[in-house]
Amino acid sequence: MRLFRLAAVLAVPGTILGMGCGGSGGSTPPGPTPTQMAKVSGDSQVATAGITLTPFSVVVKDASGSPVANVAVSWAVASGGGSIPSSSTTNANGVATGTLTLGPNAGTQTTTAASSGLSGSPVTFTSFSQIQGATSILANGGGSQTDTVLATLATPISVLVRDYKNLPVAGVSVNWSVTSGGSVGQAATMTNGSGIASVSRTLGATAGSQGTVATVSGLVGSPVTITATANAGKETQLALNGGDSQTGTINTALAQPHSVIVHDAHGNVKAGVTVTWVVGDGGGSVSSTSPVTGTNGVASVTRTLGPSAGTDADTARVTGLTGSPVVFTATASTVPLTADVTVGPSYSYSPASVTIAAGGSVTWTWAANSLSHSVHWLTAPGTLPSDSPTMTSGTFTSPAGSFNTPGTYTYECIVHGSLMTGQVIVQ
C-alpha cells in the first residue's frame, strides 16, 4: 500500500516533489542583451545605376561580444536614391542583411542600418552608382568664346567625364544640342582616352549669348551648358529711329534727339558704326557731326533749330548702307513751345493769356497760400484738353498732345467760374 502511494505522487506533474526539484515550474531563463552593432560586409560597392547590389550585412553582439539573434534592424536610403527593404532580423550568428537596388542616377548613394540603443548604430554603407562606367560630367573647354553670327567657333566645345574616383572614362557617349540658335557638328560624340568628348559649334544668326548643351542622362552635372557670344555681322542697313517731325522755337534745341539705328543683314543691331551728320535747310546745329552707334545700334544728336521760322532739315548718312541717307525735318517757330502760368493766390491766372507753338505745353503753378483752384477747359478748336485737379498747391502740366491744333483754348476755375478765366493761343 505504501509503494502504491509513492508511485502515484511521482506520476502527477506539479507535485510537491517536482516543485522541490525545479522551483518555478520550467520557465525559460532570459536571453543575452544586445549592446552593439558593427558593419560586416557590402560597403563601397560599385555598379551600374539600377542594379541590385550584393547584400549589406551587420552583426549585433552583447556586452561580452557574443552574437545576439532575433534583433530587429531598420534599413533606410540616406542619400542618392535607390531602394531597400525597411527591416530585417539578426540570425543565429547575430547577422542581419539588407539588399539595396541602386537608384537611376549616377553618384554616391548611402544606406543606413540601425537598431535603437545599440552602440555603433546607425551603420552607414556607401555605394557608387555609374552610367556607362562614369559618375560625373563637367565643362572642359571652348567656353566664353566670341565670334560673328554664323561663324564656326575656333575652339571646339568639350566636356570631361569621370568615374567615382575622379579618373577619366573613355567610351562614354555624350549627346549635344544647342540653345538660342546655331548648330553642332555631331549629335553625339564619344569620350577619348582622356575622358574628353568634343564637338564643333556654329553660331546662329541672332546676336547674343548662345549655349551648347552636353548631356549624359543620370550623370552628376548633366546637362552641362557652355556659352559663347555671337556678335552682329557687318553693318548693312541704316534707318530712322526717333525724333523726326518735331516743332520747336527758333534757336533752341528740340525736346527729343534725332536718332538712327544700324543693323546687320540678319536684323541684329550693330555697335561702333560712325554716322556722318550734316545740317541742311534752315541752319542751326547738331551736337555731333560724327556720332557712333552704341550697343543698342543707335546713334543720336541734339538738334538746335536755326534763327528763322520754317522747316529745318538735317541728314544722317553711312555710305554703302541700305536706307542711307536718313533725312530729318523739324518746324521752327518764333512762338515759344512752352509757357508758365501762376494760379492764385486769389481769383486770377497770371498771365491770363499765353501763346505757344502747336505741339507745345503749358505748366500751371499754384501760388503760396492759394485758395482752391483748378484749370477747367471750356472751348477748344478740337478736343478739349484734360482738366487739372482742384488744388491749393503744386503744379499741373498739360498732357502731351493737348495743343496740337492751332486756335484759342479757353478755361476757368471750376470753383470760381467766370470770376477766374484764362486762355491759351496755339499757333
Side-chain angles (χ1 to χ4, degrees):
M1 179 62 69
R2 291 175 181 173
L3 290 173
F4 172 78
R5 288 178 179 175
L6 179 59
V9 170
L10 292 173
V12 178
T15 62
I16 294 174
L17 179 62
M19 292 177 65
C21 294
S24 63
S27 61
T28 302
T33 300
T35 62
Q36 54 191 300
M37 173 187 283
K39 186 184 302 181
V40 176
S41 63
D43 197 21
S44 300
Q45 295 183 63
V46 182
T48 300
I51 291 295
T52 299
L53 300 179
T54 300
F56 303 142
S57 63
V58 293
V59 64
V60 175
K61 297 180 180 180
D62 63 15
S64 66
S66 299
V68 182
N70 298 316
V71 178
V73 175
S74 298
W75 297 89
V77 172
S79 67
S83 61
I84 191 169
S86 60
S87 64
S88 63
T89 304
T90 58
N91 60 19
N93 296 318
V95 174
T97 61
T99 303
L100 175 70
T101 299
L102 293 173
N105 296 322
T108 302
Q109 302 184 13
T110 59
T111 308
T112 59
S115 186
S116 180
L118 300 191
S119 172
S121 174
V123 172
T124 299
F125 293 85
T126 301
S127 307
F128 303 98
S129 175
Q130 299 194 140
I131 294 173
Q132 299 184 62
T135 301
S136 64
I137 183 172
L138 70 158
N140 182 70
S144 302
Q145 295 182 76
T146 298
D147 210 328
T148 306
V149 291
L150 303 181
T152 297
L153 295 177
T155 302
I157 304 298
S158 65
V159 291
L160 172 62
V161 176
R162 299 188 292 195
D163 65 13
Y164 75 102
K165 294 182 178 179
N166 284 331
L167 298 175
V169 181
V172 177
S173 178
V174 178
N175 296 315
W176 298 96
S177 59
V178 300
T179 62
S180 302
S183 61
V184 287
Q186 296 171 266
T189 61
M190 303 290 285
T191 57
N192 59 21
S194 298
I196 295 172
S198 62
V199 73
S200 62
R201 176 65 156 100
T202 299
L203 298 173
T206 302
S209 179
Q210 299 186 15
T212 308
V213 183
T215 303
V216 180
S217 296
L219 290 194
V220 175
S222 177
V224 176
T225 299
I226 299 173
T227 59
T229 300
N231 290 331
K234 182 175 176 55
E235 61 272 16
T236 60
Q237 306 167 51
L238 179 70
L240 189 149
N241 184 68
D244 193 28
S245 301
Q246 295 180 74
T247 297
T249 306
I250 58 172
N251 296 319
T252 61
L254 292 174
Q256 300 298 323
H258 285 179
S259 64
V260 292
I261 188 167
V262 177
H263 293 94
D264 68 6
H266 310 287
N268 300 299
V269 296
K270 180 67 175 179
V273 178
T274 299
V275 179
T276 300
W277 223 291
V278 178
V279 172
D281 295 342
S285 64
V286 289
S287 57
S288 173
T289 58
S290 55
V292 178
T293 58
T295 56
N296 60 355
V298 174
S300 63
V301 297
T302 299
R303 175 65 159 106
T304 298
L305 297 176
S308 303
T311 299
D312 288 5
D314 52 281
T315 301
R317 182 189 307 272
V318 179
T319 301
L321 300 195
T322 301
S324 177
V326 173
V327 178
F328 295 83
T329 60
T331 300
S333 172
T334 56
V335 180
L337 200 59
T338 61
D340 294 293
V341 176
T342 300
V343 181
S346 57
Y347 308 112
S348 66
Y349 298 106
S350 181
S353 178
V354 294
T355 300
I356 60 172
S361 65
V362 179
T363 297
W364 288 264
T365 300
W366 272 247
N369 303 313
S370 178
L371 299 172
S372 292
H373 296 306
S374 73
V375 175
H376 170 62
W377 294 99
L378 301 175
T379 66
T383 302
L384 290 173
S386 299
D387 289 354
S388 78
T390 300
M391 305 187 294
T392 59
S393 63
T395 62
F396 172 72
T397 300
S398 56
S402 297
F403 303 120
N404 286 343
T405 304
T408 299
Y409 298 69
T410 64
Y411 62 94
E412 67 179 13
C413 173
I414 199 169
V415 178
H416 301 105
S418 60
L419 292 176
M420 188 174 175
T421 62
Q423 68 177 10
V424 177
I425 300 171
V426 178
Q427 296 182 351

